[in-house]
Amino acid sequence: MYIWVVLATFLAILASYTLSPREDIRKLTVEPLAEVFIAKMVTQHEAALAYVKYMKKANHPLPAKALEENEIKNFFPAGHSFSNDFIARIYCMDENRAITQGSSCGGSDGKRALVTYSPIPLRWLNTHVDPERPNVDFLNAMKNTINSGVMFGYMAPVDDTSSEKNISGSHVAIVDRDNSENYLYKAIADDGEFRKMCDVTEEGKICLVYQSNL
Amino acid sequence: MIRKLEKLLGEKGSMMVEALAMLGLISMVTPVLYKKAAERTTELQDINAASQMRTLSKAMDDMIKDHYSDLGNKDNNETLIEFENGEASFGTTDLDIKQYLPAGFNLEQNKLFDDYQMRIIRNVAATDIPGSDDVHISLTGLVVAPALENNQGNNFNTRAAKIASMIGANGGVTKDDNINGVQGIWQLKAGDYGLDGLPNNSVAATSLHAINADSGVGAEDVLYRVDKDGDKKYNTMSTTLFLGNNDMREVHRIIADSSKDNKLIIGAVNAQNDDPDTIYNDDELTEANLLVKGIANVSQKFSVGEDGENAILFAGLDGTNPFAQFRTDPATYLRLTGNQKIETKTDGEINMNAGGKTTIDAKGIDITSDSQDLNIKTIGGGANGYIRLDSNRNIVSKSLGTTSFTAWADNDKLELGSMGISATTKNGGITLATNEVDNKEKAKQGQILLNAESLINLDSEDIMELHANNEVNITSGTDIMLSSGSAITIDGPDTYINANGYLHLTHDGKNGGEIRLLYESDHNSHVTLDENMVEMGSGDQKIQVNGADRFVRFAGTGSSSSGAVGVHDGYAFMKTGTDNDRDGGATIYLSGDENRGHAYIKAGNNKALVAVEQPSSDGGQVTLRSHEYGINMSSYVDNTIKSSLQLHSDATLKGDDIILDGDGEIRNIAPVTKFYESGSDVPVSNNSVLNNGIVINHKGMIALPMATGTKKTELAATNGKQDIAGYIKADRLLSNVEYKYPLLQSGDYTKPTSGNGGYDAYQVNPAYTSVMHDIKLTTRGGARLSDILPDFINKGIYVIDNTYREDSQSWEGYTVNTSGEVSGHGGECATNDHNCITTPWLGFVPAPQCPPGYVKVIAINPIRWKMADAYSIAIEPTEGDVSQKFRNYFIQHTNPTDARFELEETDGSSGSHTHEVAQGMPLTFQTNTWLNTTISGYYENNTAKTGTFYGWHAIMGFLYHGSEYLDYLQKVNPTGSYEGKIIWNIFPVYNEELAAVTNVYCYFERRTMDGNNNATGWEWDSDLVDNSYDQIQHFRAGYNSKPSDYVDRLNDPALGYTEPW
């Protein structure tokens, strides 16, 4: 009898080592990996945003286009570099929020937005739900990486487009770190270039989107 | 008992075994326990190290943001700020990171790493924007924890990477002087930042977000509370400012800027639903409250829009003044200034009470009074007490009532503008009167004086009256014009209208208006127009004499110089003489002007008759005569001028040459039109035709249109089928050109003697009969010409033989010119030269000239050939030309005696012996057995089917399979290729050995042809031939049982006759 008690004690000690030494072990070990992806995109968006503001300050025309490496590489933090995994694109819309082109856009009645987007890697997607959405680690990583108050989050379909906040009647929401819905401009969500990479109606095309009004 | 002891013995042994097992288990598990305990300790150390790095990195970022104004100053040239023990000096700023660390954070308590090293990296982006002197500066903080010496080996690198990973995306680890971010997200070279010699496995953390002017503190998006380097943009709001229901206090001044409509709008809107970019119009702020407090400045309560919908200036605070008041001190005045409009609206009265003169100076003034009088008056009189309407332009009164200008006192005056007076009334009148009797230049009492240096224009849309009890004089130095939309009446005992210029009495003809000169009937007065000169207008104007049986008489000195125009006894008349009867009188001329004027006699309605009559008893005649432009008779039919000359029955149009000349058609719609020779009698029967009647239709045609909507077979048989429309009945249709072909009998071609054959009844222009649909021949049982015409027309017969020398050229390369001359061949052999070897090309047969619709056809038949010659084969010759070689090689036997074998014994005495061929050859060889004739078409320039077709090459000769005669052919020409080919004339064919006859035809192509004249199929074209007749299928049936449409085939279906005749 005595031997069994001792044996059980050892086994319990062994089993205890399989438990995490800290409750927030995933926050310390897994979420940082997701933060890397998010941080790269945020860094690229902020570099693009710094470039755009710099150009605006100089009254330089900003065409509607995807920004390229040679344009924004000097606006990254030290050590960071441009990545082709993320698209930072300037969108121009007229007063009816329809996409316009041209060498310079976003007149007095129009809107101009900088949108950076990239599909979320499957590792961070919960594919067992419909529609797909990021898993908890990724959502927590979003909280760790970026502050609230910016239109940054993952894409989600919108069933009811009649919300007052949904001015453009968009069918795509940007769910941010606080799980509050913002809305991607409808013209952008319907844009063919955007939908090549991001489309809420297709599997595996759930994107992380960072939208900044210019 | 023994069994029980044995059991106990067993238990004692088990305890020992268990103790040993437990001891062994403890010895095995204990190391694991220690290992696990050590791993846990290590993991906790790693987590703590990562947390420290994150804390340091965040503190570094916070410090940089707080000191961005210095760190981000573009005038500083340093690119790297190094820290010593957490402190650094840069520009005017002392940086101490310890101020940003949590309380108790000890920079020196690190079990795994050496002392922390920190850097701030200034990244200045080069600007390449033209015209921009700004630079972009981003700051990046870097914290490095160098690995301790015993941790710099490979056994620690995994752990260092794990620590970096737990820092987050901004974590990194060093290897070979490079600081690598987690999963390669970033990379720095340590040596570039004063970290030379940084050991491997060191852990680093950098700023995740670039800190720049746009990313946080110091950004231009933030409103500064203080003057920021004199740059207004830091103190300028670029969007709507929301204060979140907080007051704005201690405001010095609120000054509107001109950039937004130059307005200062103070109002309240629903901030929750408001778009901060929206600039509201004034009327959108009607529900907003503006409350201005402060009695000391506004002296009374001043409030806008708290009561009801309208903005109200409230009464005085104490209620003493029942009105709102804008008041100035005696030294100042009140000015209302508005760029667009100053508007005053009230439901009550507006009183303007001024102590001085009131001046309204505006580009236009509208004073409107609704339902009340508009009174403008002066009070108190005096020299300046009048009302003056002074304008640089017109002063116009458009009152629906009377416009009255009245001077009351004797000395008062009424002056109307010196440039002109225009008084226009509709239902009222204009009264001008004065009492100034002394001045002759002014109108006196009872007088109206219109005195102007220029035009006096009295213009009324209704009646205008000049009414006087005495004379009315209208005198003018130039013209006098009285113009009225209605009547103008000048009525007086004596009326003088005296003008030195023209006197115009005009009216516009509206409403039956007219000009009347009336006389006073009681005194039997009359109107006299000056006998020296009276002119009356022309054109649409008229001279009217009213009453029954009135006339205008032209009184002359006698009957020949007198006349009258008038109405009398039911006639309108114009006659000469002194009486008024319509009969009698002398000649009346109606003449136009000297050039091309017209004289019209016009009846009033459709039944009116315009007659030019000469009583038959006088035996005279009516003559319409013109010298130059003819006599033109025209009438209006359906608003169109159409000429119509209607004559009574048996009318005669007689003249030397009568010409009907019309630019369009000349139509004859009479039932029967007859043309007779001059002087001949009129025939009794309409269907009879006089021999002398001749119709000459010069250079024209006679068109007899078919009746539409009717079928000829429906006409009554009694009418005669040949009497219906569509026929030309005539003895002869004579061509307009001389008929030279001597088919007729000799004599007069135009009048052949009857009974001399089928050609003396008609002559038809052959150029037009050729396009007839078909011709039926009575002499062929009603056969149609198209049926009996041959499909093949033989156009030539040629006999051809082989007379051209053999040549290396193929006939396919020969060329033919338009004269039929062929070039490229080897030339002809000499006549009767039977040794001349010839080519298979016999010559060129020219194509026949065929009418349209016919194709060119050739048939060739061989009529002479020499074939199946048998030869003995001799020894192959080596010399001579081809002909000589052939004759030496192929020996032809023409003598039967020589053609047999004879054996000669040369050594036959005994034993073996030899027989020699004394004559002939042991073998025979037969040539020229496969005769062939063919033709090859030739087009212009020898290009198939692209030019004019010239004719055919005729070819005749003998054919050989090349593979069968390969040995012989290769001896003749070793380089040739003969396998699988057909070779012409391997063995010579000599001059004139071959002959053929060719027939060339024009063949009527019954099939449908395409654009290249190729038949599109084997079906006959129904437009060309009667395809209901099939000469194959109807081989016999057509004779025995004619198809039901046989009659139609004989007939012309398009004409609709029920039988061919």
Side-chain angles (χ1 to χ4, degrees):
Chain A
M1 186 63 187
Y2 173 71
I3 190 172
W4 294 115
V5 173
V6 174
L7 183 60
T9 302
F10 275 110
L11 291 175
I13 294 171
L14 282 175
S16 68
Y17 283 113
T18 63
L19 300 176
S20 173
R22 293 179 56 162
E23 292 180 353
D24 56 350
I25 189 65
R26 293 191 68 83
K27 178 179 178 65
L28 297 171
T29 58
V30 181
E31 291 173 10
L33 301 179
E35 289 174 13
V36 170
F37 175 80
I38 297 170
K40 285 187 72 174
M41 177 172 166
V42 170
T43 304
Q44 187 146 323
H45 180 84
E46 290 181 346
L49 192 60
Y51 163 78
V52 169
K53 289 184 177 180
Y54 178 73
M55 299 294 277
K56 280 178 66 181
K57 196 184 299 180
N59 293 322
H60 198 276
L62 285 170
K65 55 169 287 196
L67 297 177
E68 298 173 356
E69 180 177 7
N70 60 348
E71 293 172 310
I72 64 175
K73 63 182 180 181
N74 291 330
F75 296 87
F76 279 93
H80 289 258
S81 59
F82 181 86
S83 172
N84 287 320
D85 295 337
F86 309 101
I87 304 295
R89 183 182 295 278
I90 297 174
Y91 281 100
C92 296
M93 290 160 280
D94 59 15
E95 62 272 17
N96 299 318
R97 300 298 180 260
I99 285 182
T100 61
Q101 303 296 332
S103 59
S104 184
C105 58
S108 58
D109 296 327
K111 275 287 183 188
R112 187 161 51 185
L114 173 68
V115 177
T116 304
Y117 51 93
S118 177
I120 300 173
L122 283 176
R123 173 180 179 179
W124 307 112
L125 276 183
N126 184 355
T127 58
H128 301 294
V129 296
D130 187 18
E132 296 172 340
R133 62 191 299 269
N135 58 23
V136 176
D137 293 329
F138 193 84
L139 296 176
N140 289 334
M142 284 171 55
K143 290 183 180 178
N144 301 337
T145 310
I146 194 162
N147 296 324
S148 61
V150 294
M151 205 172 292
F152 172 80
Y154 65 90
M155 291 168 52
V158 175
D159 296 330
D160 182 9
T161 59
S162 61
S163 170
E164 288 186 356
K165 289 178 65 179
N166 191 358
I167 298 173
S168 66
S170 175
H171 59 87
V172 175
I174 301 175
V175 184
D176 65 9
R177 47 163 283 171
D178 300 323
N179 207 30
S180 62
E181 286 191 0
N182 301 284
Y183 296 95
L184 185 66
Y185 284 112
K186 183 176 187 303
I188 299 175
D190 293 338
D191 178 48
E193 289 295 326
F194 182 81
R195 295 187 65 173
K196 285 180 182 176
M197 189 176 286
C198 305
D199 193 339
V200 290
T201 62
E202 294 187 32
E203 292 183 354
K205 282 195 171 182
I206 301 299
C207 277
L208 201 61
V209 179
Y210 199 155
Q211 173 178 292
S212 297
N213 290 327
L214 302 180
Chain B
M1 185 63 181
I2 292 174
R3 291 174 60 95
K4 195 171 184 180
L5 288 173
E6 288 177 350
K7 186 178 181 182
L8 289 173
L9 286 174
E11 287 182 353
K12 288 177 181 176
S14 297
M15 284 296 291
M16 181 61 69
V17 171
E18 289 174 355
L20 289 175
M22 183 180 67
L23 204 58
L25 186 61
I26 290 171
S27 63
M28 286 188 294
V29 171
T30 301
V32 177
L33 290 177
Y34 278 105
K35 184 174 184 294
K36 286 295 181 183
E39 287 178 352
R40 166 172 289 237
T41 303
T42 301
E43 192 166 9
L44 287 174
Q45 286 178 342
D46 295 347
I47 291 171
N48 292 332
S51 297
Q52 287 177 343
M53 291 298 290
R54 294 173 78 152
T55 303
L56 277 171
S57 179
K58 182 177 183 306
M60 178 71 88
D61 289 351
D62 291 343
M63 180 181 66
I64 294 172
K65 288 178 182 176
D66 278 0
H67 297 87
Y68 180 81
S69 57
D70 273 350
L71 296 171
N73 193 331
K74 65 181 181 181
D75 296 330
N76 293 322
N77 297 322
E78 290 146 291
T79 59
L80 186 68
I81 301 149
E82 299 184 7
F83 284 70
E84 186 72 30
N85 296 323
E87 297 179 2
S89 178
F90 174 79
T92 60
T93 302
D94 291 330
L95 304 173
D96 186 0
I97 196 170
K98 291 189 286 293
Q99 299 175 6
Y100 296 88
L101 292 172
F105 191 94
N106 191 345
L107 282 174
E108 299 176 354
Q109 278 194 351
N110 194 336
K111 303 295 184 185
L112 299 179
F113 300 99
D114 205 348
D115 293 340
Y116 296 107
Q117 298 190 40
M118 285 160 268
R119 299 286 186 273
I120 294 176
I121 304 165
R122 282 168 47 89
N123 189 8
V124 181
T127 174
D128 54 355
I129 302 174
S132 173
D133 58 351
D134 205 351
V135 294
H136 179 82
I137 299 174
S138 61
L139 303 175
T140 307
L142 176 65
V143 179
V144 177
L148 295 173
E149 187 173 357
N150 55 352
N151 290 340
Q152 295 175 4
N154 291 335
N155 56 344
F156 193 74
N157 55 5
T158 303
R159 189 174 170 190
K162 184 179 178 183
I163 294 171
S165 172
M166 287 190 290
I167 293 172
N170 55 335
V173 65
T174 60
K175 184 177 183 182
D176 298 336
D177 200 35
N178 286 326
I179 309 174
N180 300 311
V182 174
Q183 297 195 8
I185 184 174
W186 55 272
Q187 186 183 59
L188 293 171
K189 196 166 187 61
D192 293 344
Y193 305 105
L195 298 171
D196 300 287
L198 192 64
N200 288 345
N201 302 335
S202 300
V203 175
T206 184
S207 299
L208 184 59
H209 306 286
I211 301 170
N212 52 47
D214 299 317
S215 63
V217 175
E220 65 176 359
D221 293 343
V222 177
L223 185 64
Y224 269 67
R225 290 192 297 111
V226 297
D227 185 8
K228 182 69 174 70
D229 301 331
D231 194 341
K232 287 185 178 180
K233 69 174 181 289
Y234 293 107
N235 305 106
T236 302
M237 286 295 296
S238 57
T239 182
T240 304
L241 177 64
F242 293 92
L243 295 178
N245 291 325
N246 295 312
D247 295 340
M248 182 184 293
R249 288 178 173 273
E250 300 181 26
V251 177
H252 180 207
R253 288 185 297 174
I254 298 176
I255 304 170
D257 193 13
S258 60
S259 59
K260 290 287 186 182
D261 301 331
N262 207 17
K263 290 179 181 178
L264 174 62
I265 301 172
I266 301 176
V269 295
N270 187 348
Q272 297 298 322
N273 297 324
D274 185 30
D275 182 355
D277 293 334
T278 301
I279 301 300
Y280 286 91
N281 296 323
D282 293 349
D283 54 358
E284 293 177 301
L285 297 172
T286 52
E287 296 183 358
N289 293 329
L290 172 63
L291 187 61
V292 179
K293 292 184 177 180
I295 295 176
N297 286 334
V298 296
S299 75
Q300 300 292 334
K301 183 177 182 180
F302 177 77
S303 180
V304 178
E306 279 192 345
D307 184 12
E309 298 181 352
N310 298 322
I312 294 175
L313 294 179
F314 271 101
L317 185 64
D318 55 2
T320 54
N321 293 326
F323 50 81
Q325 187 172 12
F326 289 103
R327 189 171 62 190
T328 65
D329 57 45
T332 60
Y333 59 90
L334 179 65
R335 169 177 287 177
L336 298 178
T337 303
N339 287 335
Q340 296 295 327
K341 182 188 289 186
I342 297 175
E343 188 172 276
T344 301
K345 289 185 178 178
T346 177
D347 292 335
E349 298 179 352
I350 297 175
N351 293 321
M352 298 176 64
N353 189 2
K357 187 171 67 174
T358 300
T359 301
I360 300 175
D361 186 6
K363 291 184 178 178
I365 298 175
D366 292 331
I367 301 175
T368 303
S369 177
D370 186 6
S371 303
Q372 296 291 331
D373 294 340
L374 174 65
N375 294 318
I376 301 174
K377 64 182 180 181
T378 60
I379 300 176
N384 297 321
Y386 55 83
I387 296 175
R388 171 177 289 174
L389 301 178
D390 193 357
S391 170
N392 288 330
R393 296 188 62 187
N394 297 334
I395 296 176
V396 180
S397 172
K398 292 186 177 180
S399 173
L400 295 177
T402 302
T403 301
S404 176
F405 297 94
T406 305
W408 291 101
D410 291 346
N411 293 328
D412 290 349
K413 61 181 180 181
L414 177 62
E415 291 184 356
L416 301 177
S418 60
M419 297 303 292
I421 299 172
S422 175
T424 303
T425 69
K426 192 152 189 171
N427 295 320
I430 300 172
T431 301
L432 302 174
T434 180
N435 284 327
E436 192 173 357
V437 297
D438 296 335
N439 191 344
K440 294 182 179 179
E441 299 299 324
K442 301 291 179 66
K444 302 175 177 61
Q445 184 175 13
Q447 293 182 345
I448 299 173
L449 180 60
L450 301 177
N451 189 6
E453 293 181 358
S454 181
L455 175 67
I456 295 176
N457 185 8
L458 298 178
D459 189 6
S460 171
E461 294 186 2
D462 201 345
I463 297 174
M464 180 186 295
E465 291 187 355
L466 293 177
H467 187 78
N469 291 330
N470 200 349
E471 294 183 350
V472 174
N473 290 324
I474 300 175
T475 304
S476 170
T478 57
D479 296 347
I480 293 177
M481 178 178 290
L482 298 178
S483 178
S484 169
S486 181
I488 297 176
T489 302
I490 302 175
D491 187 8
D494 289 313
T495 302
Y496 297 95
I497 300 175
N498 188 5
N500 291 336
Y502 290 106
L503 171 63
H504 295 278
L505 299 177
T506 63
H507 72 85
D508 59 5
K510 295 180 180 176
N511 301 321
E514 58 189 3
I515 299 173
R516 293 182 179 178
L517 299 177
L518 303 178
Y519 69 95
E520 208 283 317
S521 58
D522 293 342
H523 298 85
N524 198 21
S525 61
H526 59 273
V527 177
T528 300
L529 301 178
D530 191 290
E531 62 183 3
N532 293 324
M533 186 60 195
V534 176
E535 290 185 356
M536 297 185 182
S538 59
D540 293 335
Q541 300 170 357
K542 59 186 179 182
I543 301 172
Q544 179 170 317
V545 178
N546 293 328
D549 294 339
R550 302 300 183 186
F551 56 89
V552 176
R553 166 154 299 285
F554 301 91
T557 55
S559 176
S560 60
S561 58
S562 299
V565 177
V567 178
H568 187 60
D569 294 336
Y571 293 94
F573 70 93
M574 177 174 64
K575 64 165 294 183
T576 58
T578 56
D579 57 63
N580 299 330
D581 295 334
R582 65 183 175 94
D583 298 330
T587 301
I588 297 174
Y589 286 93
L590 298 178
S591 61
D593 59 26
E594 295 177 352
N595 296 319
R596 297 184 66 176
H598 298 163
Y600 285 94
I601 301 175
K602 187 174 182 181
N605 53 54
N606 293 335
K607 296 180 180 179
L609 176 65
V610 178
V612 180
E613 183 180 349
Q614 172 63 37
S616 59
S617 59
D618 293 343
Q621 63 181 11
V622 175
T623 301
L624 300 177
R625 186 171 63 194
S626 170
H627 289 290
E628 186 175 356
Y629 294 103
I631 299 171
N632 182 19
M633 288 171 285
S634 63
S635 60
Y636 279 93
V637 178
D638 298 333
N639 294 325
T640 304
I641 298 177
K642 294 183 178 179
S643 299
S644 176
L645 176 62
Q646 295 187 12
L647 304 174
H648 286 280
S649 61
D650 298 335
T652 300
L653 188 64
K654 186 176 182 181
D656 293 337
D657 292 325
I658 297 176
I659 300 171
L660 299 179
D661 184 7
D663 293 334
E665 300 172 344
I666 298 177
R667 302 174 184 174
N668 183 354
I669 59 175
V672 177
T673 302
K674 304 168 184 176
F675 296 91
Y676 305 111
E677 191 177 22
S678 176
S680 62
D681 294 332
V682 177
V684 176
S685 171
N686 285 341
N687 291 330
S688 299
V689 178
L690 282 183
N691 292 331
N692 293 332
I694 296 175
V695 176
I696 299 176
N697 199 7
H698 186 60
K699 291 184 179 180
M701 63 181 180
I702 299 174
L704 299 176
M706 297 176 65
T708 58
T710 59
K711 295 181 178 179
K712 290 86 183 169
T713 53
E714 293 174 351
L715 294 174
T718 55
N719 288 342
K721 292 178 181 177
Q722 296 178 2
D723 289 333
I724 61 177
Y727 277 90
I728 299 174
K729 294 197 296 183
D731 289 339
R732 185 156 55 109
L733 298 179
L734 183 62
S735 171
N736 230 1
V737 297
E738 185 180 2
Y739 194 59
K740 293 181 178 179
Y741 197 72
L743 285 177
L744 299 177
Q745 297 297 317
S746 61
D748 185 0
Y749 291 160
T750 60
K751 287 186 178 181
T753 303
S754 62
N756 286 334
Y759 296 99
D760 60 349
Y762 292 96
Q763 280 190 342
V764 183
N765 191 327
Y768 292 96
T769 57
S770 66
V771 296
M772 294 171 68
H773 183 71
D774 213 338
I775 297 173
K776 285 185 287 189
L777 300 176
T778 57
T779 58
R780 284 286 180 174
R784 291 187 299 179
L785 189 58
S786 61
D787 284 339
I788 61 177
L789 278 176
D791 283 351
F792 286 91
I793 305 171
N794 194 326
K795 287 289 188 176
I797 302 173
Y798 302 87
V799 178
I800 50 180
D801 54 5
N802 62 326
T803 59
Y804 290 92
R805 296 179 185 278
E806 186 179 59
D807 195 355
S808 59
Q809 290 287 334
S810 169
W811 55 85
E812 292 177 351
Y814 296 173
T815 57
V816 184
N817 63 17
T818 54
S819 300
E821 297 171 348
V822 183
S823 56
H825 56 75
E828 283 194 288
C829 298
T831 304
N832 297 327
D833 181 5
H834 65 280
N835 289 323
C836 180
I837 302 175
T838 60
T839 174
W841 180 71
L842 303 188
F844 184 78
V845 180
Q849 300 298 319
C850 293
Y854 283 75
V855 298
K856 302 171 177 64
V857 177
I858 185 172
I860 182 168
N861 298 302
I863 58 174
R864 184 181 73 223
W865 62 89
K866 181 182 181 184
M867 63 187 299
D869 285 341
Y871 296 89
S872 296
I873 307 302
I875 298 173
E876 185 175 351
T878 58
E879 295 180 350
D881 57 15
V882 175
S883 176
Q884 292 171 340
K885 285 182 178 178
F886 180 79
R887 290 185 181 279
N888 292 333
Y889 195 14
F890 293 80
I891 300 172
Q892 185 176 21
H893 299 282
T894 57
N895 186 351
T897 305
D898 297 337
R900 62 184 182 185
F901 292 103
E902 290 185 2
L903 298 180
E904 181 177 324
E905 181 179 326
T906 56
D907 186 11
S909 59
S910 61
S912 64
H913 59 272
T914 302
H915 294 279
E916 294 180 349
V917 177
Q919 176 179 295
M921 296 297 169
L923 297 174
T924 59
F925 189 87
Q926 196 172 38
T927 64
N928 300 355
T929 60
W930 186 8
L931 180 65
N932 183 49
T933 54
T934 187
I935 51 98
S936 175
Y938 182 87
Y939 289 81
E940 185 179 11
N941 298 325
N942 201 11
T943 305
K945 294 196 173 184
T946 59
T948 304
F949 182 70
Y950 279 7
W952 302 268
H953 292 299
I955 302 133
M956 184 173 176
F958 297 93
L959 303 181
Y960 302 87
H961 286 293
S963 54
E964 296 175 351
Y965 292 83
L966 200 57
D967 291 341
Y968 177 76
L969 288 169
Q970 287 180 342
K971 288 179 179 177
V972 175
N973 184 7
T975 61
S977 175
Y978 311 105
E979 194 72 45
K981 293 184 178 178
I982 300 294
I983 312 295
W984 285 88
N985 290 0
I986 288 181
F987 302 104
V989 179
Y990 295 99
N991 185 23
E992 296 180 349
E993 286 184 347
L994 308 178
V997 60
T998 61
N999 293 272
V1000 292
Y1001 301 93
C1002 291
Y1003 170 64
F1004 178 62
E1005 180 56 79
R1006 293 168 179 266
R1007 296 172 296 174
T1008 305
M1009 309 295 284
D1010 61 14
N1012 295 323
N1013 287 328
N1014 292 322
T1016 58
W1018 287 105
E1019 294 294 331
W1020 289 357
D1021 187 349
S1022 61
D1023 292 339
L1024 301 178
V1025 297
D1026 181 4
N1027 57 5
S1028 63
Y1029 171 66
D1030 186 337
Q1031 64 178 359
I1032 305 297
Q1033 301 299 328
H1034 299 168
F1035 174 59
R1036 288 301 178 195
Y1039 292 97
N1040 297 329
S1041 59
K1042 296 178 180 177
S1044 59
D1045 58 349
Y1046 173 74
V1047 174
D1048 292 338
R1049 187 171 67 83
L1050 293 179
N1051 200 354
D1052 187 341
L1055 294 178
Y1057 293 98
T1058 55
E1059 58 176 293
W1061 308 112

